[in-house]
Amino acid sequence: MPAASDRLETALERLRPVFDAIAVDAYSREQDHLLPRDHVRQLVDAGFGSLRVPAERGGSGLSIPELARVLTELAAADSNLPQIFRGHIAFVEDQLTSPDSPERDTWLDRFVAGEIVGNAWSEVGSGTVGTSQTTVAHTDDGYVVNGSKYYTTGSIYADWTDVTATDSATGESVTALVRIDQTGVTVRDDWNGFGQQLTGTGTIIFENARVEPSEVRLFESRFRYQTALYQLVLLTVLAGVASSIETDAATQITARKRTYSHANADLVRHDAQILGVAGELSAIAFTADATVQHVAEVVQRAFETAATRDSADDRAANVAAEIASAQGQIVLSKLVPEAATKVFDTLGASGISRDVGLDRHWRNARTVVSHNPWIYKARIVGDWSVNGTEPPYVWNIGVAAAKSSAPEASSTPV
C-alpha cells in the first residue's frame, strides 16, 4: 500500500486540474446562480466520492486528515463544493464503520462507480424537537417515504439522499436511502441564504417514494462521531475561505497603484499598515488550516476505535472528537468572518466593487458559521472543561414540546 503522503499526492494530482477549473469561474457562477453540476461530476469522475474508500476496494484510501487536506484545498477554489459533498462524506464514513455485509459491499462499489449521496435530515415548520414528520411506511407495494425536508445540502447533485424519518409502524427514528431519480421525489433549488448559494440546500418532497427494505436502518446504529465529522467538513470550508481571503488580499494589494496622500508609502504593497493587516489575514489562514488538521487527527482516532464501539477507548475517542470539533468551530466562527471584514481595510473604495466580489467571503463564511450555533457549543465545551460533562453527540431542532397545563402539585397543605 502506498505511504500516506503518496496516497494524498496521487489523489491531488488527479483532482487539482479540476480544482483549477472550478476556481476560474467560481464568482461568476455565484453571480449568475449557475449550479456547478458539471464540476461536481468532474470531481466524482476524478475519484472525489471514493477518497475514503480503501485502495483495495478501488478508492484512494485516504485518512481523515488527508481528506481534510483535500477539502480545504477545494474550498479555497470554491467554498460551495466541499459542503455539497458533506452528506456523502458522512454516509461513506457510516459504511466504512459498518460490519462486513453484502449491503456494505454494494455501497462501496457504488462510491467507486461514481454514485453520490446527498442529505435530507432537517425539517422546517411546527415539528417538535427530536421528532421527524417524514415517515417510512411498509405498504403492499413495499416501503415508501412521505414528507418534506429542507437544508438538503448536495441532494440536487446526487443519485441518492440520506433521509431521517419516523417508522410509522414502530415510531422509531430511522434513516432511509432514497433514490432521487424516481417518481415521488421532487428536488427544489429554493435555498435562499445569502451565502453558499450553490450548495443546493433547498427542499425535497417525498410522495410515496420507494425505498428498499435493506436501506432502512435504525438511526441509533449510525457511527458515533458523525457530528464531529459533519462539523469538520464545515471547518475545512472556513479554512478554504480564509486561504482565499489571504490570496485575494495579496493579489489586490500588489496590483493597486493608487494610494492616499497620508499613506506610508508610494505603493500600497510597501505600506507598513497595509502589510500589518495582510499579516493578520495570513495568520488567520494559518490558524484555520492548523485547526482543521488537528481536529481531523482527533476524528481519525474515533474512526480507529469504531470497531470496538462503546468500549472505554471508543468512548474517550468520541468525546475527544466532539470536543475538538466544537473548539475548532468556536474559534474559526469568529476568526474567519473577521478576516473577511479586515480584507477591506487593505483597499480603498474600489475594494467593495461587485466586480471584485470580496463580499462573497464574508457571506459564505457567515452562512457556514450559522449552521450549528457556536454559542451552544461554547457552553458544552465549558461544561466539559469545568465539570467533565460528556457532550451530546446528536442534537435536533424544532418547536419545543408543549408542557402540561395541569396545575403543579403543591408542597403546602391546603
Side-chain angles (χ1 to χ4, degrees), residues 160-340:
W160 304 79
T161 189
D162 182 22
V163 186
T164 54
T166 299
D167 187 314
S168 61
T170 66
E172 294 176 305
S173 296
V174 298
T175 60
L177 267 295
V178 178
R179 187 82 189 183
I180 288 178
D181 60 349
Q182 62 166 296
T183 303
V185 178
T186 302
V187 184
R188 295 176 179 167
D189 181 25
D190 58 355
W191 163 238
N192 65 352
F194 58 59
Q196 297 296 91
Q197 295 175 6
L198 305 181
T199 55
T201 308
T203 300
I204 297 182
I205 298 172
F206 302 100
E207 298 172 293
N208 290 323
R210 296 181 180 277
V211 60
E212 293 297 320
S214 60
E215 303 299 353
V216 179
R217 305 178 181 91
L218 289 175
F219 183 84
E220 64 184 20
S221 69
R222 297 274 297 195
F223 69 106
R224 180 68 60 77
Y225 57 94
Q226 62 184 341
T227 299
L229 184 65
Y230 275 124
Q231 190 59 58
L232 173 61
V233 175
L234 295 184
L235 294 180
T236 68
V237 174
L238 290 173
V241 171
S243 177
S244 291
I245 292 169
E246 179 185 10
T247 299
D248 284 355
T251 299
Q252 294 294 322
I253 292 168
T254 301
R256 188 167 171 77
K257 302 301 182 184
R258 289 161 58 84
T259 189
Y260 289 90
S261 60
H262 52 300
N264 304 289
D266 292 337
L267 290 174
V268 176
R269 66 192 185 94
H270 294 154
D271 191 305
Q273 284 183 281
I274 301 299
L275 294 177
V277 177
E280 290 184 72
L281 301 180
S282 181
I284 290 173
F286 169 82
T287 300
D289 185 72
T291 299
V292 163
Q293 282 301 297
H294 175 74
V295 173
E297 289 168 3
V298 178
V299 177
Q300 174 70 23
R301 291 198 286 275
F303 165 71
E304 292 167 355
T305 64
T308 59
R309 181 166 176 144
D310 291 331
S311 67
D313 287 346
D314 181 57
R315 200 167 196 86
N318 277 276
V319 168
E322 187 64 38
I323 293 297
S325 66
Q327 290 170 324
Q329 178 189 2
I330 293 164
V331 172
L332 297 192
S333 290
K334 299 177 182 178
L335 286 182
V336 179
E338 177 185 337

